[in-house]
Amino acid sequence: MEIDRVNAVSDDWLALRRALWPETTEAGHRADMAAMVADPARYAVFFSRDDRGVVGFAEASLRTDYVNGCLQSPVVFLEGIFVAPQARRRGVAAALIEAVGDWARGKGVRELASDALIDNLDSHAMHRAVGFSETDRVVYFRKEI
Ligand SMILES: CC(C)(COP(=O)(O)OP(=O)(O)OC[C@H]1O[C@@H](n2cnc3c(N)ncnc32)[C@H](O)[C@@H]1OP(=O)(O)O)[C@@H](O)C(=O)NCCC(=O)NCCS
């Protein structure tokens, strides 16, 4: 398995994003990817490859706003992570998060933050297994005005 940093928009990246965030339009994904590659000081994207190609990705951002549960600022936030079903439970997510951690440490950042939906128990288990600890649970609200 190889981990490499992504520096260009690609169909592989689009396919992984669509799998993780199917509610976002293709135009939305393309705009997000373009913004990320245009600002490599703030965003980092990593692919995991095996002999059949790209099997997973992680996106991270440097966050200077307050991030729930964190003790320092800035922190690096794991914005998204996805591993193709056939490649799961082989350490791909752990390796991607290690790469995110290396990128963060290289910036002098000492905390990684992340989130997961309340019912995504696989993700909770993965986060704990790679060293995250749970800090908070929140409920989002909206109101038409
Ligand atoms: C969550 C996800 C990224 C994990 O990827 P992965 O490559 O399978 O994870 P790893 O193999 O690196 O797992 C590392 C450890 O995390 C834990 N873990 C991972 N998946 C788990 C699961 N489904 N159930 C229980 N524990 C799990 C295990 O302790 C595992 O080590 P082990 O396999 O030696 O027991 C993957 O299941 C996925 O893409 N899910 C759909 C997208 C998603 O939910 N993304 C996260 C959004 S917040």
Side-chain angles (χ1 to χ4, degrees), residues 8-67:
V9 173
S10 67
D11 289 343
D12 281 335
W13 188 6
L14 176 63
L16 290 162
R17 280 187 136 252
R18 284 180 134 167
L20 181 58
W21 296 304
E23 67 285 357
T24 303
T25 63
E26 177 170 343
H29 283 307
R30 289 195 179 279
D32 289 348
M33 291 188 289
M36 295 183 87
V37 296
D39 194 351
R42 182 167 173 204
Y43 299 107
V45 183
F46 297 93
F47 277 169
S48 169
R49 297 174 194 276
D50 67 12
D51 46 11
R52 286 164 301 173
V54 178
V55 294
F57 84 123
E59 294 184 0
S61 71
L62 185 69
R63 292 266 299 262
T64 51
D65 54 331
Y66 171 69
V67 174

Coordinates of all heavy atoms in Angstrom, one line a residue, residues 8-67:
A8 N -3.7 17.5 -7.7 CA -4.5 17.9 -8.9 C -5.8 17.2 -8.8 O -6.0 16.1 -8.2 CB -3.8 17.4 -10.1
V9 N -6.8 17.9 -9.3 CA -8.2 17.4 -9.4 C -8.1 16.1 -10.3 O -7.5 16.2 -11.3 CB -9.1 18.4 -9.9 CG1 -10.5 17.9 -10.2 CG2 -9.2 19.6 -9.0
S10 N -8.9 15.1 -10.0 CA -8.9 13.9 -10.8 C -10.2 13.2 -10.7 O -11.0 13.4 -9.8 CB -7.7 12.9 -10.4 OG -8.0 12.4 -9.1
D11 N -10.4 12.3 -11.7 CA -11.7 11.5 -11.6 C -11.6 10.5 -10.5 O -12.7 10.1 -9.9 CB -11.8 10.7 -13.0 CG -12.2 11.7 -14.1 OD1 -12.6 12.8 -13.8 OD2 -12.1 11.3 -15.3
D12 N -10.4 10.0 -10.1 CA -10.4 9.1 -8.9 C -10.8 9.8 -7.7 O -11.6 9.2 -6.9 CB -8.9 8.7 -8.7 CG -8.5 7.5 -9.7 OD1 -9.3 6.8 -10.1 OD2 -7.2 7.4 -9.9
W13 N -10.4 11.0 -7.5 CA -10.8 11.8 -6.3 C -12.3 12.1 -6.4 O -13.0 11.9 -5.4 CB -10.0 13.1 -6.3 CG -10.1 14.0 -5.1 CD1 -10.7 13.7 -3.9 CD2 -9.5 15.3 -4.9 NE1 -10.6 14.7 -3.1 CE2 -9.9 15.7 -3.6 CE3 -8.7 16.1 -5.7 CZ2 -9.5 17.0 -3.2 CZ3 -8.3 17.3 -5.3 CH2 -8.7 17.8 -4.0
L14 N -12.8 12.5 -7.5 CA -14.2 12.7 -7.7 C -15.0 11.5 -7.3 O -16.0 11.5 -6.6 CB -14.6 13.1 -9.1 CG -16.0 13.3 -9.4 CD1 -16.6 14.5 -8.6 CD2 -16.2 13.6 -10.9
A15 N -14.6 10.3 -7.8 CA -15.3 9.1 -7.5 C -15.4 8.8 -6.0 O -16.4 8.4 -5.4 CB -14.7 7.9 -8.2
L16 N -14.2 9.0 -5.3 CA -14.2 8.7 -3.8 C -15.1 9.7 -3.1 O -15.8 9.4 -2.2 CB -12.8 8.8 -3.4 CG -11.9 7.7 -3.8 CD1 -10.4 8.0 -3.7 CD2 -12.2 6.4 -3.0
R17 N -15.0 11.0 -3.5 CA -15.9 12.0 -2.9 C -17.4 11.7 -3.1 O -18.2 11.8 -2.2 CB -15.6 13.4 -3.5 CG -14.4 14.1 -2.9 CD -14.3 15.5 -3.5 NE -13.9 16.4 -2.4 CZ -14.7 17.3 -1.8 NH1 -15.9 17.4 -2.2 NH2 -14.3 18.0 -0.8
R18 N -17.7 11.2 -4.3 CA -19.1 10.9 -4.5 C -19.6 9.7 -3.7 O -20.7 9.7 -3.2 CB -19.3 10.5 -6.0 CG -19.3 11.8 -6.9 CD -19.5 11.3 -8.3 NE -20.5 12.2 -9.0 CZ -20.6 12.2 -10.3 NH1 -19.9 11.4 -11.1 NH2 -21.5 13.0 -10.8
A19 N -18.7 8.8 -3.4 CA -19.0 7.7 -2.6 C -19.2 8.1 -1.1 O -20.1 7.7 -0.4 CB -17.9 6.6 -2.6
L20 N -18.4 9.1 -0.7 CA -18.5 9.5 0.7 C -19.6 10.6 0.9 O -20.3 10.5 1.9 CB -17.2 10.1 1.2 CG -17.1 10.7 2.6 CD1 -17.4 9.5 3.6 CD2 -15.7 11.2 2.9
W21 N -19.8 11.5 -0.1 CA -20.7 12.6 0.0 C -21.7 12.6 -1.2 O -21.6 13.5 -2.0 CB -20.0 13.9 0.1 CG -19.2 14.1 1.4 CD1 -19.6 13.9 2.7 CD2 -17.8 14.4 1.4 NE1 -18.5 14.2 3.5 CE2 -17.4 14.4 2.8 CE3 -16.8 14.6 0.5 CZ2 -16.1 14.7 3.2 CZ3 -15.5 14.9 0.9 CH2 -15.2 15.0 2.2
P22 N -22.5 11.6 -1.3 CA -23.4 11.4 -2.5 C -24.4 12.6 -2.7 O -24.9 12.8 -3.8 CB -24.1 10.1 -2.3 CG -24.0 9.8 -0.9 CD -22.8 10.5 -0.4
E23 N -24.6 13.4 -1.6 CA -25.6 14.4 -1.7 C -25.0 15.7 -2.4 O -25.8 16.6 -2.8 CB -26.1 14.8 -0.3 CG -25.1 15.4 0.6 CD -24.1 14.4 1.2 OE1 -24.2 13.2 0.9 OE2 -23.2 14.9 1.9
T24 N -23.7 15.8 -2.6 CA -23.1 16.9 -3.2 C -23.1 16.7 -4.7 O -22.9 15.6 -5.2 CB -21.6 17.1 -2.7 OG1 -21.7 17.2 -1.3 CG2 -21.0 18.3 -3.3
T25 N -23.4 17.8 -5.5 CA -23.4 17.7 -6.9 C -22.0 17.6 -7.5 O -21.0 18.0 -6.8 CB -24.0 19.0 -7.5 OG1 -23.2 20.1 -7.2 CG2 -25.4 19.3 -7.0
E26 N -21.9 17.2 -8.7 CA -20.5 17.1 -9.3 C -19.9 18.4 -9.4 O -18.7 18.6 -9.1 CB -20.6 16.5 -10.7 CG -19.2 16.4 -11.4 CD -19.1 15.7 -12.7 OE1 -20.1 14.9 -13.0 OE2 -18.2 15.9 -13.4
A27 N -20.7 19.5 -9.7 CA -20.1 20.8 -9.8 C -19.6 21.2 -8.4 O -18.5 21.9 -8.3 CB -21.2 21.8 -10.3
G28 N -20.3 20.9 -7.4 CA -19.9 21.2 -6.0 C -18.6 20.5 -5.7 O -17.7 21.1 -5.1
H29 N -18.5 19.2 -6.0 CA -17.3 18.5 -5.7 C -16.1 19.1 -6.5 O -15.0 19.3 -5.9 CB -17.4 17.0 -6.2 CG -18.2 16.1 -5.3 ND1 -17.9 16.0 -3.9 CD2 -19.2 15.3 -5.5 CE1 -18.8 15.2 -3.4 NE2 -19.6 14.7 -4.3
R30 N -16.3 19.4 -7.8 CA -15.2 20.0 -8.6 C -14.8 21.3 -8.0 O -13.6 21.6 -7.9 CB -15.6 20.1 -10.0 CG -15.8 18.8 -10.7 CD -15.8 18.8 -12.2 NE -15.9 17.5 -12.8 CZ -14.8 16.7 -13.0 NH1 -13.6 17.1 -12.6 NH2 -15.0 15.5 -13.5
A31 N -15.7 22.1 -7.5 CA -15.4 23.4 -6.9 C -14.6 23.2 -5.6 O -13.5 23.9 -5.4 CB -16.6 24.3 -6.6
D32 N -15.0 22.3 -4.8 CA -14.3 22.0 -3.6 C -12.9 21.5 -3.8 O -11.9 21.9 -3.2 CB -15.0 20.9 -2.8 CG -16.3 21.4 -2.1 OD1 -16.5 22.6 -2.1 OD2 -17.1 20.6 -1.7
M33 N -12.7 20.6 -4.8 CA -11.4 20.0 -5.1 C -10.5 21.1 -5.7 O -9.3 21.2 -5.3 CB -11.5 18.9 -6.1 CG -12.2 17.6 -5.6 SD -12.2 16.2 -6.7 CE -13.3 16.7 -8.0
A34 N -11.0 22.0 -6.5 CA -10.2 23.0 -7.1 C -9.7 24.0 -6.0 O -8.6 24.4 -5.9 CB -11.0 23.8 -8.1
A35 N -10.6 24.3 -5.0 CA -10.2 25.2 -3.9 C -9.1 24.5 -3.1 O -8.2 25.2 -2.6 CB -11.5 25.5 -3.1
M36 N -9.2 23.2 -2.9 CA -8.3 22.5 -2.0 C -6.9 22.5 -2.7 O -5.9 22.8 -2.0 CB -8.7 21.1 -1.7 CG -10.0 21.2 -0.8 SD -10.5 19.5 -0.4 CE -9.6 19.3 1.1
V37 N -6.8 22.2 -4.0 CA -5.5 22.1 -4.6 C -4.9 23.5 -4.8 O -3.7 23.7 -4.8 CB -5.5 21.4 -6.0 CG1 -5.9 19.9 -5.8 CG2 -6.4 22.0 -7.0
A38 N -5.8 24.5 -4.8 CA -5.2 25.9 -4.9 C -4.6 26.4 -3.6 O -4.0 27.5 -3.6 CB -6.4 26.8 -5.4
D39 N -4.9 25.7 -2.5 CA -4.4 26.3 -1.2 C -3.7 25.2 -0.4 O -4.3 24.7 0.6 CB -5.6 26.9 -0.5 CG -5.1 27.7 0.7 OD1 -3.9 27.7 1.1 OD2 -6.0 28.4 1.3
P40 N -2.6 24.7 -0.9 CA -1.9 23.5 -0.2 C -1.4 23.8 1.2 O -1.1 22.9 1.9 CB -0.8 23.2 -1.2 CG -0.5 24.4 -2.0 CD -1.8 25.1 -2.1
A41 N -1.3 25.1 1.6 CA -0.9 25.4 2.9 C -2.0 25.1 3.9 O -1.8 24.8 5.1 CB -0.5 26.9 3.0
R42 N -3.3 25.2 3.4 CA -4.4 25.0 4.2 C -5.1 23.7 4.1 O -5.7 23.2 5.1 CB -5.5 26.1 3.9 CG -6.7 26.1 4.7 CD -7.5 27.4 4.5 NE -8.8 27.3 5.3 CZ -9.9 27.9 4.9 NH1 -9.8 28.8 3.9 NH2 -11.0 27.8 5.6
Y43 N -4.9 23.0 3.0 CA -5.6 21.7 2.8 C -4.6 20.7 2.3 O -3.7 21.0 1.5 CB -6.6 21.9 1.6 CG -7.7 22.8 1.9 CD1 -7.8 24.1 1.3 CD2 -8.8 22.5 2.8 CE1 -8.8 25.0 1.5 CE2 -9.8 23.4 3.1 CZ -9.8 24.6 2.5 OH -10.8 25.5 2.7
A44 N -4.8 19.5 2.8 CA -4.0 18.3 2.3 C -5.0 17.2 2.0 O -5.9 16.9 2.7 CB -3.0 17.9 3.3
V45 N -4.7 16.5 0.9 CA -5.5 15.4 0.4 C -4.5 14.2 0.2 O -3.5 14.4 -0.4 CB -6.3 15.7 -0.8 CG1 -7.2 14.5 -1.2 CG2 -7.1 16.9 -0.6
F46 N -4.9 13.0 0.7 CA -4.0 11.9 0.5 C -4.8 10.7 -0.2 O -6.0 10.5 0.2 CB -3.4 11.4 1.8 CG -2.5 12.4 2.5 CD1 -3.1 13.3 3.4 CD2 -1.2 12.5 2.1 CE1 -2.3 14.3 4.0 CE2 -0.4 13.5 2.7 CZ -0.9 14.4 3.6
F47 N -4.1 10.0 -1.1 CA -4.7 8.8 -1.6 C -4.0 7.6 -1.1 O -2.7 7.7 -0.8 CB -4.4 8.7 -3.2 CG -5.4 9.5 -4.0 CD1 -5.1 9.7 -5.4 CD2 -6.6 10.0 -3.5 CE1 -6.0 10.4 -6.2 CE2 -7.5 10.7 -4.3 CZ -7.2 10.9 -5.7
S48 N -4.7 6.5 -0.9 CA -4.0 5.2 -0.7 C -4.2 4.4 -2.0 O -5.3 4.3 -2.5 CB -4.7 4.5 0.5 OG -4.2 3.2 0.6
R49 N -3.1 3.8 -2.4 CA -3.1 3.0 -3.6 C -2.7 1.6 -3.3 O -1.8 1.4 -2.5 CB -2.2 3.5 -4.7 CG -2.4 4.9 -5.2 CD -1.3 5.3 -6.1 NE -1.4 6.7 -6.4 CZ -2.2 7.3 -7.3 NH1 -2.8 6.5 -8.1 NH2 -2.2 8.6 -7.4
D50 N -3.3 0.6 -3.9 CA -2.7 -0.7 -3.9 C -2.5 -1.1 -5.4 O -2.6 -0.2 -6.3 CB -3.6 -1.8 -3.2 CG -5.0 -2.0 -3.8 OD1 -5.1 -1.6 -5.0 OD2 -5.8 -2.7 -3.2
D51 N -2.2 -2.4 -5.7 CA -1.9 -2.7 -7.1 C -3.0 -2.5 -8.1 O -2.8 -2.6 -9.3 CB -1.2 -4.1 -7.1 CG -2.0 -5.1 -6.3 OD1 -3.2 -4.8 -5.9 OD2 -1.5 -6.2 -6.1
R52 N -4.2 -2.3 -7.5 CA -5.4 -2.1 -8.5 C -5.7 -0.6 -8.6 O -6.6 -0.3 -9.3 CB -6.6 -2.9 -8.0 CG -6.5 -4.4 -8.2 CD -7.5 -5.1 -7.4 NE -7.3 -4.9 -6.0 CZ -8.1 -5.3 -5.0 NH1 -9.2 -6.0 -5.3 NH2 -7.8 -5.0 -3.7
G53 N -5.0 0.2 -7.9 CA -5.3 1.7 -8.1 C -5.7 2.3 -6.7 O -5.3 1.8 -5.7
V54 N -6.3 3.4 -6.8 CA -6.7 4.2 -5.6 C -7.8 3.5 -4.9 O -8.8 3.2 -5.5 CB -7.1 5.6 -6.0 CG1 -7.5 6.4 -4.8 CG2 -6.0 6.3 -6.8
V55 N -7.6 3.3 -3.6 CA -8.6 2.6 -2.8 C -9.1 3.4 -1.6 O -10.0 2.9 -0.9 CB -8.1 1.2 -2.3 CG1 -7.9 0.2 -3.5 CG2 -6.9 1.4 -1.4
G56 N -8.6 4.6 -1.4 CA -9.1 5.4 -0.3 C -8.5 6.8 -0.3 O -7.5 7.0 -1.0
F57 N -9.1 7.7 0.4 CA -8.6 9.0 0.4 C -8.9 9.6 1.8 O -9.9 9.2 2.5 CB -9.2 9.9 -0.7 CG -10.5 10.5 -0.5 CD1 -10.7 11.9 -0.5 CD2 -11.6 9.7 -0.2 CE1 -11.9 12.5 -0.3 CE2 -12.9 10.3 0.0 CZ -13.0 11.7 0.0
A58 N -8.2 10.7 2.1 CA -8.4 11.5 3.3 C -8.2 12.9 2.9 O -7.3 13.3 2.2 CB -7.5 11.1 4.5
E59 N -9.1 13.8 3.4 CA -9.0 15.2 3.2 C -8.8 15.9 4.6 O -9.5 15.5 5.6 CB -10.2 15.8 2.6 CG -10.4 15.4 1.1 CD -11.6 16.0 0.4 OE1 -12.2 16.9 1.1 OE2 -11.8 15.7 -0.7
A60 N -7.9 16.8 4.7 CA -7.7 17.5 6.0 C -7.5 19.0 5.8 O -7.1 19.4 4.7 CB -6.4 16.9 6.7
S61 N -7.8 19.8 6.8 CA -7.6 21.2 6.7 C -7.0 21.8 8.0 O -7.2 21.2 9.0 CB -9.0 21.9 6.4 OG -9.8 21.9 7.5
L62 N -6.3 22.8 7.8 CA -5.7 23.6 8.9 C -6.8 24.5 9.4 O -7.3 25.3 8.6 CB -4.5 24.4 8.5 CG -3.8 25.1 9.6 CD1 -3.0 24.1 10.5 CD2 -2.7 26.0 8.9
R63 N -7.2 24.4 10.7 CA -8.4 25.2 11.2 C -7.8 26.2 12.2 O -7.3 25.7 13.2 CB -9.4 24.2 11.8 CG -10.1 23.4 10.8 CD -11.4 24.0 10.3 NE -12.3 24.2 11.4 CZ -13.3 23.4 11.6 NH1 -13.5 22.3 10.9 NH2 -14.2 23.6 12.6
T64 N -8.1 27.4 12.0 CA -7.7 28.5 12.9 C -8.8 29.0 13.8 O -8.6 29.7 14.8 CB -7.1 29.7 12.2 OG1 -8.0 30.1 11.2 CG2 -5.7 29.3 11.6
D65 N -10.1 28.5 13.4 CA -11.2 28.9 14.3 C -11.3 27.9 15.5 O -10.5 26.9 15.5 CB -12.5 28.8 13.5 CG -12.7 27.4 12.8 OD1 -11.6 26.8 12.5 OD2 -13.8 27.0 12.6
Y66 N -12.1 28.2 16.4 CA -12.2 27.2 17.6 C -12.8 25.9 17.1 O -13.8 25.9 16.4 CB -13.1 27.8 18.7 CG -13.4 26.8 19.8 CD1 -12.4 26.4 20.6 CD2 -14.7 26.2 19.9 CE1 -12.7 25.4 21.6 CE2 -15.0 25.3 20.8 CZ -14.0 24.8 21.7 OH -14.2 23.9 22.6
V67 N -12.2 24.8 17.5 CA -12.7 23.5 17.1 C -13.2 22.8 18.3 O -12.4 22.6 19.3 CB -11.6 22.7 16.3 CG1 -12.1 21.3 16.1 CG2 -11.3 23.4 15.0

